[in-house]
C-alpha cells in the first residue's frame, strides 16, 4: 500500500467502522448515571420519579434507537454515494455527528432526556451511512447496506479481490473491536466513567468525525466512482496517480472501463424479485439465517449491557470496569486472529466454530449464574464465558456473513442480497438492544439459553446447507446449492 492509499483507508475506517463500535459500547458504562438523570428529570417535571419498568423502557429505547437510525441511514446511502461520491457522503455524514454530539453533550444542562435519545438516533444514522459509503469493489453506490471492505480496494476490479477481500472484511471487524475497546477504556472511573462526565463521554464521537471531516479533503475521490459513475477519466486518472504512486495506470483504467461496460449490461434485480427467485432460494435463506443469527447471537447484549451482565454474575462493582476493559482487549486480539485466518481456514470452519463457541458459552453463563450462590468461584466461569462469546464472534461471525453474502450471488442479485442482509442486521440489533433488559428481568439466568439456541441452530444450518465459498466461482457455488 502506498502512503496516500493507506492513509485514506485508515481515515475512512477510523471515522466509520471504529465510530460504529464506539457507539455500540458507549452506553454500557454510564448506564447508572443516565438512568439517574432520566429519573431526576422526570421528578422535576411531574413531581414523581419513574417506576423501574418505565425507566428500563426509556433506557432501552436510548440504547436501541441507534440501530433504527442505522437502518434509515443504510437505506439512504446508495442515493447519496451515487450523487456525492464516497468523500462527499462521508463528509456530510460527519456533520451529523457534530449535531448529535451537541445534543448529547448539553442534554444534562438543559434537562432533556429527549436530546440524548435524538442524539443516539443521529449517531446511528451516521453509522448506517458511513458503513455503506465505503463499499466493496463490485458494489460501488449500488448496495446501500453493505459494510465496508476498505477504501483501499475502491479501484480494484472483481478479478483482483481474492484474499484481499477477506483481509479487508477482517480490517472492518478490527476497527469495530477497537471502537468498542476505546469506549470501554474511556468508561473507566479514572477517565470519563464518573457521573459528571457522562455527557462528554457520549459526545466524544465528535473528535474522530471532525478529523475525518477535515482530512478527507486532502484526498481525491474514489477512482471507481469518478470513472464508473461519473465517467470522468481525467479525475480518475489523477486519483489513481496519487493513490498508487505511479504514472502508469492505464491498465487499471482499461480494467475499470471494461467493468463499466459489463455493469451497464447487467440488469439489477429488486429485493422483491430476489425473494421470489427460486433459483437463488437457498442462497437467500442462507443470507437471512446467517445475518439475523449474527445479531441474535447475544453479542449485542454483551456490548450494550456488559456491566449489568457482570453485576448479575456477582463481580464486585469496583472490579467491573476493569473486567470489561479486559474483555475488550481480548476482543481486539480475536479480531486480529480472524482477520488473518479467514483466507487460510475458509468461511465454514470459522463461522461454524464461532457460533458453536458462542452457544456453549451462553449456556455456560446460565450454569454459572445458577450455581454462583453455592459456588462463589462460578462468577469467574461466567466472565470466561463472556470472553468466549466475544472471541467466538470476532473470529468468525463478525465478518464472514458479509463476505459470504458477496460470494453467494452474482452481480445482478448481490445488491438486493446486501439490502436484505443489512436490513436484518440493523433490525435484529434494535430488537436485542430493546428487549434484553426485559428478557433478563423475566427469565433471569435462563435468558442466555435463547442465545444458545440461536447460535447452535445457525451453526447446524451452515453445517448442513451452506457450502465452502473460498476459491469458488459464483457458478460453482450455485451448482452446489442446486
Amino acid at each position: 500500500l502506498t502512503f496516500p492509499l493507506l492513509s485514506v483507508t485508515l481515515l475512512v475506517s477510523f471515522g466509520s467502522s471504529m465510530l460504529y463500535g464506539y457507539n455500540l459500547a458507549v452506553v454500557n458504562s454510564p448506564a447508572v448515571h443516565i438512568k439517574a438523570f432520566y429519573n431526576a428529570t422526570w421528578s422535576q417535571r411531574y413531581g414523581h420519579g419513574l417506576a423501574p419498568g418505565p425507566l428500563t423502557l426509556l433506557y432501552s429505547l436510548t440504547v436501541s434507537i441507534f440501530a433504527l437510525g442505522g437502518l434509515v441511514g443504510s437505506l439512504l446511502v446508495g442515493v447519496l454515494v451515487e450523487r456525492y461520491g464516497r468523500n462527499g457522503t462521508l463528509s456530510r455524514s460527519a456533520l451529523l455527528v457534530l449535531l448529535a454530539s451537541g445534543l448529547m453533550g448539553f442534554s444534562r444542562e438543559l434537562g432533556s432526556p429527549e436530546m440524548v435519545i435524538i442524539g443516539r438516533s443521529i449517531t446511528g444514522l451516521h453509522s448506517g451511512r458511513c458503513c455503506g459509503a465505503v463499499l466493496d469493489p463490485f458494489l460501488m453506490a449500488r448496495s446501500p447496506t453493505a459494510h465496508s471492505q476498505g477504501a483501499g480496494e475502491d479501484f480494484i476490479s472483481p478479478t483482483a479481490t481474492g484474499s484481499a477481500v477477506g483481509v479487508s472484511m477482517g480490517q472492518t471487524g478490527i476497527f469495530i473491536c477497537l471502537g468498542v475497546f476505546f469506549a470501554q477504556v474511556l468508561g473507566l472511573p479514572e477517565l470519563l466513567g464518573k457521573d459528571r462526565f457522562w455527557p462528554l463521554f457520549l459526545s466524544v464521537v465528535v473528535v474522530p468525525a471532525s478529523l475525518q471531516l477535515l482530512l478527507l479533503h486532502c484526498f481525491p475521490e474514489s477512482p471507481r466512482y469518478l470513472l464508473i459513475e461519473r465517467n470522468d477519466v481525467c479525475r480518475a486518472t489523477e486519483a489513481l496517480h496519487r493513490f498508487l504512486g505511479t504514472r502508469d495506470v492505464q491498465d487499471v483504467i482499461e480494467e475499470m472501463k471494461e467493468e463499466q461496460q459489463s455493469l451497464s449490461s447487467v440488469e439489477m434485480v429488486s429485493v422483491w424479485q430476489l425473494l421470489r427467485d427460486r433459483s437463488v432460494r437457498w442462497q437467500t435463506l442462507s443470507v437471512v439465517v446467517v445475518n439475523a443469527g449474527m445479531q441474535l447471537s447475544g453479542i449485542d447484549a454483551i456490548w450494550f449491557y456488559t456491566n449489568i451482565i457482570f453485576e448479575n454474575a456477582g463481580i464486585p462493582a469496583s472490579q467491573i470496569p476493569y473486567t470489561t476493559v479486559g474483555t475488550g482487549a481480548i476482543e481486539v486480539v480475536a479480531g486480529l486472529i480472524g482477520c488473518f485466518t479467514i483466507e487460510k481456514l475458509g468461511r465454514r470452519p470459522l463461522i461454524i466454530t464461532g457460533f458453536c463457541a458462542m452457544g456453549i458459552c451462553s449456556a455456560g453463563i446460565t450454569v454459572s449464574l445458577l450455581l454462583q450462590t453455592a459456588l462463589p468461584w462460578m462468577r469467574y466461569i461466567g466472565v470466561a464465558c463472556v470472553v468466549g462469546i466475544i472471541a467466538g464472534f470476532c473470529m468468525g461471525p463478525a465478518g464472514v456473513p458479509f463476505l459470504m453474502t458477496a460470494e453467494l450471488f452474482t452481480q445482478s442479485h448481490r445488491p438486493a442480497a446486501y439490502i436484505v442482509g443489512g436490513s436484518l442486521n440493523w433490525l435484529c440489533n434494535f430488537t436485542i438492544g430493546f428487549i434484553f433488559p426485559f428478557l433478563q428481568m423475566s427469565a433471569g439466568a435462563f435468558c442466555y439459553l435463547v442465545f444458545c439456541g440461536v447460535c447452535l441452530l445457525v451453526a447446524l444450518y451452515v453445517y448442513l446447507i451452506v457450502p465452502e465459498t473460498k476459491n469458488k466461482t459464483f457458478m460453482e457455488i450455485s451448482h452446489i446449492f442446486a
Side-chain angles (χ1 to χ4, degrees):
L1 287 177
T2 61
F3 180 74
L5 186 55
L6 178 62
S7 300
V8 74
T9 301
L10 294 176
L11 176 64
V12 171
S13 297
F14 181 69
S16 56
S17 301
M18 199 171 78
L19 264 186
Y20 169 74
Y22 183 89
N23 284 309
L24 283 176
V26 71
V27 289
N28 171 57
S29 177
V32 175
H33 308 313
I34 295 174
K35 289 180 180 179
F37 165 65
Y38 285 178
N39 202 33
T41 303
W42 194 272
S43 182
Q44 290 174 0
R45 290 181 182 180
Y46 305 106
H48 59 86
L50 282 163
L55 181 60
T56 301
L57 178 65
L58 191 59
Y59 180 72
S60 298
L61 180 63
T62 304
V63 171
S64 58
I65 197 74
F66 169 77
L68 284 187
L71 174 62
V72 175
S74 67
L75 294 174
L76 293 175
V77 74
V79 176
L80 294 173
V81 171
E82 195 166 359
R83 177 176 297 179
Y84 301 114
R86 183 198 63 210
N87 287 8
T89 301
L90 292 175
S91 297
R92 285 165 174 79
S93 297
L95 294 174
L96 291 175
V97 178
L98 304 184
L99 173 60
S101 179
L103 288 171
M104 294 185 292
F106 291 102
S107 58
R108 185 167 60 181
E109 279 67 23
L110 298 177
S112 175
E114 296 85 356
M115 292 173 65
V116 179
I117 296 173
I118 295 172
R120 282 282 294 170
S121 66
I122 294 175
T123 57
L125 188 64
H126 165 268
S127 290
R129 289 167 62 165
C130 283
C131 286
V134 194
L135 300 176
D136 65 82
F138 32 75
L139 287 170
M140 186 67 183
R142 289 181 172 84
S143 174
T145 51
H147 277 227
S148 73
Q149 288 196 169
E153 292 188 327
D154 271 354
F155 54 86
I156 301 177
S157 74
T159 59
T161 54
S163 62
V165 174
V167 174
S168 297
M169 282 295 183
Q171 170 192 280
T172 300
I174 290 171
F175 273 95
I176 292 174
C177 293
L178 284 173
V180 172
F181 180 64
F182 286 150
Q184 292 166 340
V185 171
L186 289 178
L188 290 173
E190 293 83 359
L191 297 176
L192 301 180
K194 297 180 181 178
D195 180 45
R196 66 177 183 273
F197 290 138
W198 70 260
L200 176 62
F201 187 26
L202 294 182
S203 59
V204 162
V205 291
V206 72
V207 177
S210 299
L211 287 174
Q212 187 182 69
L213 184 63
L214 292 172
L215 296 178
L216 269 176
H217 298 289
C218 300
F219 299 98
E221 183 55 80
S222 161
R224 291 191 73 261
Y225 169 76
L226 293 173
L227 194 146
I228 295 176
E229 298 296 332
R230 293 301 183 191
N231 204 28
D232 191 337
V233 179
C234 292
R235 290 178 64 196
T237 304
E238 292 174 4
L240 283 171
H241 288 163
R242 287 196 59 188
F243 279 133
L244 297 181
T246 178
R247 306 302 297 178
D248 185 16
V249 297
Q250 191 57 39
D251 290 344
V252 182
I253 292 292
E254 292 301 323
E255 194 172 332
M256 287 196 294
K257 286 183 177 179
E258 292 177 6
E259 184 183 353
Q260 184 185 36
Q261 293 177 355
S262 65
L263 287 175
S264 63
S265 63
V266 175
E267 182 180 353
M268 301 295 176
V269 304
S270 65
V271 172
W272 179 243
Q273 289 173 321
L274 174 71
L275 297 177
R276 296 183 62 189
D277 190 342
R278 286 182 169 271
S279 66
V280 293
R281 176 180 55 188
W282 283 103
Q283 290 94 317
T284 304
L285 181 60
S286 298
V287 167
V288 170
V289 170
V290 174
N291 281 274
M294 179 175 65
Q295 298 297 337
L296 298 177
S297 64
I299 189 64
D300 289 318
I302 299 292
W303 280 334
F304 287 144
Y305 303 105
T306 310
N307 285 14
I308 296 175
I309 291 172
F310 284 155
E311 181 183 344
N312 291 336
I315 303 300
S318 60
Q319 298 178 16
I320 288 177
Y322 308 99
T323 307
T324 300
V325 170
T327 62
I330 294 172
E331 183 176 354
V332 174
V333 174
L336 288 169
I337 294 173
C339 174
F340 295 110
T341 57
I342 189 171
E343 286 301 323
K344 292 181 176 63
L345 300 179
R347 286 64 160 134
R348 288 181 83 247
L350 283 178
I351 199 166
I352 292 172
T353 303
F355 273 115
C356 285
M358 295 175 73
I360 293 170
C361 290
S362 295
I365 294 177
T366 297
V367 173
S368 67
L369 291 174
L370 293 175
L371 299 179
Q372 67 178 356
T373 303
L375 303 171
W377 54 268
M378 288 299 292
R379 69 183 63 172
Y380 302 108
I381 299 297
V383 173
C385 288
V386 171
V387 172
I389 291 174
I390 293 173
F393 178 79
C394 292
M395 286 192 291
V400 174
F402 302 111
L403 181 55
M404 287 180 64
T405 302
E407 294 176 332
L408 291 179
F409 295 91
T410 57
Q411 174 62 35
S412 60
H413 290 71
R414 197 178 297 123
Y418 264 110
I419 292 175
V420 172
S423 299
L424 280 172
N425 263 284
W426 287 112
L427 285 172
C428 293
N429 186 310
F430 169 79
T431 301
I432 294 299
F434 189 76
I435 71 169
F436 178 72
F438 300 99
L439 183 64
Q440 199 173 36
M441 287 190 294
S442 60
F446 296 100
C447 69
Y448 299 98
L449 294 181
V450 176
F451 303 135
C452 173
V454 170
C455 291
L456 296 181
L457 286 174
V458 173
L460 180 63
Y461 177 89
V462 174
Y463 178 78
L464 295 175
I465 303 296
V466 182
E468 176 58 64
T469 58
K470 176 186 173 184
N471 297 329
K472 287 186 174 64
T473 66
F474 302 122
M475 293 301 102
E476 289 173 336
I477 295 170
S478 297
H479 179 70
I480 293 173
F481 270 108

